[in-house]
């Protein structure tokens, strides 16, 4: 579940998570087909979709949901061009694509808090804090956001923020293991858990501990055009999807099995799936400690937008850095929950 190039959840009680949804006038009609595109091969970030599908939550809501497999075309691009109605994406993708004129906005927060980490081998005693990364080699994934992120972390710890970058994609993890690069990035709830299962000795820096805005790292995006044309189906999909994610929090073992079965052989490491879901639940990634899931956090969204704008990451349709800060409140909506 790579962090950057593919991209990159309010509360139900246990009882409400298990009760069927009342069928509405919308649901009484012919099932409406809804297509959602994945951002990567099936993993625990997608578990609510597969649970909602297997438990008939979508059918109860009057929907025929098609989960589109991952392709080389990003889910955000598929949404913006009307190929998919919804797509798994990350806030960086939504910000950069909408700034450039794409019709995409965040409509559901799957992950409530930052899952990204800067990682390096535990044997590197010369790396004790972010400023020690100055001048070292980073194995990256090819986005402008990465360099802004890492430089900010280093500078906020008193360093200069100067690094050497080698774009490697997912082979960055092998390069780190061999010592070819000094550090890289991971999604803690997947690569991080996998490393623990494999007993790899790694240490980590959490972005938000060093002045980078905390973010809801995995989202579902849609488009203004789709929502305006299909308001009933859009609301039904988001509410049934929320039901799926909340069910997975309260029934982790069953939900992990449903994800594995729904992935049709794509998930062979069942220990990783179950350990990842356990961490997503225990760490309050899928549902906050006070029981919130799905809702886009306006404070986190606006803070991240300000950070991206200040660091020159947001470009217009011609590739020029935005001169005027956009109205970031248009980049997301929570209207589909009510």
């Amino acid at each position: 579940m790579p962090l950057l190039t593919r991209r990159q959840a309010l509360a139900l009680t246990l009882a409400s998570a298990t009760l069927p949804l009342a069928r509405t006038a919308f649901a009484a009609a012919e099932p409406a087909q809804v297509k959602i595109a994945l951002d990567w091969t099936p993993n625990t970030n997608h578990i609510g979709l597969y649970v909602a599908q297997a438990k008939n939550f979508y059918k109860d809501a009057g929907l025929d949901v098609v989960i589109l497999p991952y392709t080389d075309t990003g889910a955000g691009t598929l949404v913006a061009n009307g190929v998919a109605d919804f797509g798994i994406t990350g806030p960086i993708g939504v910000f950069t694509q909408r700034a450039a004129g794409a019709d995409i906005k965040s409509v559901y927060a799957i992950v409530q808090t930052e899952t990204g980490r800067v990682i390096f081998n535990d044997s590197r005693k010369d790396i004790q804090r972010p400023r020690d990364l100055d001048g070292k080699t980073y194995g990256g994934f090819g986005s402008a956001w990465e360099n802004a992120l890492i430089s900010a972390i280093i500078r906020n710890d008193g360093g200069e923020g100067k690094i050497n970058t080698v774009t490697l994609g997912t082979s960055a993890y092998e390069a780190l293991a061999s010592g070819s690069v000094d550090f890289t990035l991971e999604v803690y709830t997947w690569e991080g858990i996998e490393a623990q299962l494999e007993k790899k000795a790694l240490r980590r820096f959490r972005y938000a501990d060093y002045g980078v805005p905390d973010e809801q790292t995995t989202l579902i995006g849609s488009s203004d055009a789709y929502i305006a044309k299909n308001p009933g189906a859009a609301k039904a999909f988001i509410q049934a999807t929320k039901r799926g994610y909340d069910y997975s929090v309260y029934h982790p073992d069953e939900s992990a099995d449903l994800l594995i079965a729904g992935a049709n052989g794509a998930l062979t490491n069942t220990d990783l799936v179950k350990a990842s879901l356990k961490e997503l639940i225990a760490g309050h990634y899928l549902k906050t400690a006070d029981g919130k899931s799905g809702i886009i956090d306006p404070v986190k969204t606006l803070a991240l937008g300000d950070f991206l704008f200040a660091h020159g990451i947001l470009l217009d349709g011609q590739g020029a850095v935005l001169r005027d800060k956009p109205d970031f409140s248009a980049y997301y909506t929570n209207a589909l929950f009510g």
Side-chain angles (χ1 to χ4, degrees):
M1 189 166 27
L3 178 64
L4 295 159
T5 53
R6 265 66 64 179
R7 345 221 155 354
Q8 319 142 347
L10 273 155
L12 288 174
T13 62
L14 175 58
S16 66
T18 57
L19 291 174
L21 295 178
R23 291 183 67 85
T24 63
F26 170 77
E30 274 299 306
Q33 187 178 86
V34 174
K35 294 178 287 187
I36 180 165
L38 300 185
D39 60 332
W40 192 238
T41 52
N43 56 69
T44 46
N45 278 350
H46 309 142
I47 194 163
L49 305 175
Y50 286 89
V51 168
Q53 190 82 287
K55 300 295 291 185
N56 290 325
F57 297 163
Y58 290 134
K59 182 179 179 180
D60 290 346
L63 302 175
D64 171 21
V65 173
V66 178
I67 301 175
L68 301 176
Y70 168 73
T71 70
D72 289 338
T73 302
T77 299
L78 296 177
V79 168
N81 287 281
V83 177
D85 307 313
F86 296 89
I88 307 295
T89 184
I92 310 304
V94 172
F95 275 108
T96 54
Q97 287 187 287
R98 191 171 180 101
D103 184 8
I104 185 170
K105 69 193 318 173
S106 304
V107 297
Y108 188 99
I110 294 173
V111 175
Q112 299 303 305
T113 191
E114 179 65 71
T115 57
R117 304 288 188 269
V118 177
I119 60 169
F120 50 96
N121 292 318
D122 183 58
S123 59
R124 295 297 299 269
K125 304 307 179 186
D126 56 325
I127 304 176
Q128 297 298 323
R129 51 192 304 166
R131 68 189 185 197
D132 296 334
L133 299 175
D134 259 333
K136 292 184 168 56
T137 301
Y138 162 63
F141 301 87
S143 75
W145 155 248
E146 298 167 65
N147 286 332
L149 166 74
I150 296 167
S151 294
I153 290 173
I154 294 173
R155 289 196 306 271
N156 290 340
D157 192 47
E160 295 183 19
K162 297 180 179 179
I163 60 172
N164 302 309
T165 299
V166 180
T167 301
L168 298 173
T170 54
S171 61
Y173 303 114
E174 287 74 22
L176 180 66
S178 69
S180 300
V181 298
D182 299 307
F183 66 102
T184 188
L185 304 179
E186 71 170 8
V187 175
Y188 174 67
T189 52
W190 190 258
E191 285 96 1
I193 297 302
E194 183 176 36
Q196 291 179 22
L197 292 175
E198 295 176 355
K199 301 187 184 306
K200 293 180 179 178
L202 300 172
R203 283 183 287 137
R204 299 167 172 83
F205 298 136
R206 179 176 176 267
Y207 307 162
D209 290 340
Y210 297 93
V212 176
D214 189 20
E215 61 176 282
Q216 296 172 296
T217 38
T218 306
L219 307 168
I220 296 176
S222 190
S223 64
D224 287 316
Y226 176 79
I227 295 169
K229 187 176 180 180
N230 306 277
K235 286 186 176 183
F237 174 77
I238 288 301
Q239 293 170 28
T241 295
K242 174 176 165 56
R243 191 179 177 205
Y245 278 101
D246 287 343
Y247 189 94
S248 71
V249 171
Y250 296 118
H251 304 85
D253 291 336
E254 177 190 359
S255 298
D257 289 340
L258 292 175
L259 171 62
I260 292 166
N264 295 320
L267 289 171
T268 58
N269 190 340
T270 59
D271 288 341
L272 173 57
V273 173
K274 294 183 177 183
S276 172
L277 180 57
K278 181 179 179 180
E279 179 59 28
L280 284 167
I281 296 169
H284 299 293
Y285 291 99
L286 294 181
K287 185 183 285 286
T288 63
D290 59 353
K292 295 179 181 178
S293 63
I295 298 293
I296 307 293
D297 187 324
V299 174
K300 289 184 178 182
T301 300
L302 299 181
L304 182 60
D306 288 345
F307 181 90
L308 295 172
F309 178 74
H311 286 78
I313 302 301
L314 302 182
L315 311 179
D316 64 20
Q318 286 69 51
V321 175
L322 292 188
R323 293 180 176 270
D324 300 315
K325 186 168 73 171
D327 176 8
F328 292 128
S329 66
Y331 282 49
Y332 71 96
T333 182
N334 286 315
L336 301 182
F337 289 92

